[in-house]
Amino acid sequence: MRGIYKLYGQGAAEVRALDGIDLDITAGEFVAVMGPSGSGKSTCMNILGCLDVPSAGEYLFRGVDVASLDRDELALLRRKFMGFVFQSFNLLPRTSALANVELPLIYENVSRKRRKRLALDALRLVGLEDRADARPNQLSGGQQQRVAIARALVTEPPFLLADEPTGNLDTRTADEIMHRLVELRNERDLTIVMVTHEPDIAMYAERVLFFVDGRIQRDGPPAEVLT
């Protein structure tokens, strides 16, 4: 990111959600994004994930200027290169864990037989292959989040964006999810950017960005940024 601004409103009502952000994230990094409400952390995440566009500035993803891509190309970039995990799980309630994980593969026109194999492999990654037929209401919160992680990884994206992935989980379950994310990152050489408001969760990352008023106030190892 170079000189990234995100503005809302005009004149006296103008709000700078991002105020001139310069940011480099390299392949394989695990970055936690923190800051008070309204600091710009979620706006930054949305731009990184190509879910929103900046008002000014340049965002290069793997050397490609994202602003040069049309709507279909942006959708393709998200499908091929990015996986998303959200606080609320966003699972389809009336379908099995397996069917939920298969969903991104349907958009890729993957055959039914191969979809099932890849989805089972993804569930195996998160330790839930034995619950493939269970619906979300038959799973604990931690299990639902693991299904969501499997769904995000089933297309083998190099970049995972996680927005408060442990926000709805108890402390023990949150630690289990974070340990698995770290393991998956190491196994797959994933790049992970995670928004969190919990310092103990941010400690799992190797780098923390702390936002204040649309700017990165601190950037460094968790032990330095969070003390």
Side-chain angles (χ1 to χ4, degrees), residues 65-142:
D65 185 353
V66 171
S68 69
L69 304 179
D70 63 27
R71 191 173 179 178
D72 290 340
E73 289 170 329
L74 282 173
L76 184 64
L77 186 154
R78 286 193 297 268
R79 290 205 310 270
K80 293 289 188 181
F81 293 96
M82 299 179 180
F84 297 87
V85 179
F86 302 98
Q87 177 179 351
S88 56
F89 315 140
N90 290 345
L91 300 178
L92 299 177
R94 297 183 181 182
T95 59
S96 67
L98 183 68
N100 269 284
V101 176
E102 285 182 345
L103 190 60
L105 300 171
I106 293 174
Y107 295 110
E108 295 295 314
N109 295 317
V110 176
S111 68
R112 181 177 295 182
K113 183 177 180 180
R114 187 160 182 262
R115 278 203 317 262
K116 183 175 181 180
R117 178 175 62 79
L118 291 173
L120 283 171
D121 286 346
L123 285 171
R124 192 172 295 114
L125 276 176
V126 297
L128 280 181
E129 67 271 25
D130 60 333
R131 302 306 309 274
D133 295 327
R135 294 185 178 185
N137 64 1
Q138 297 171 315
L139 300 171
S140 68

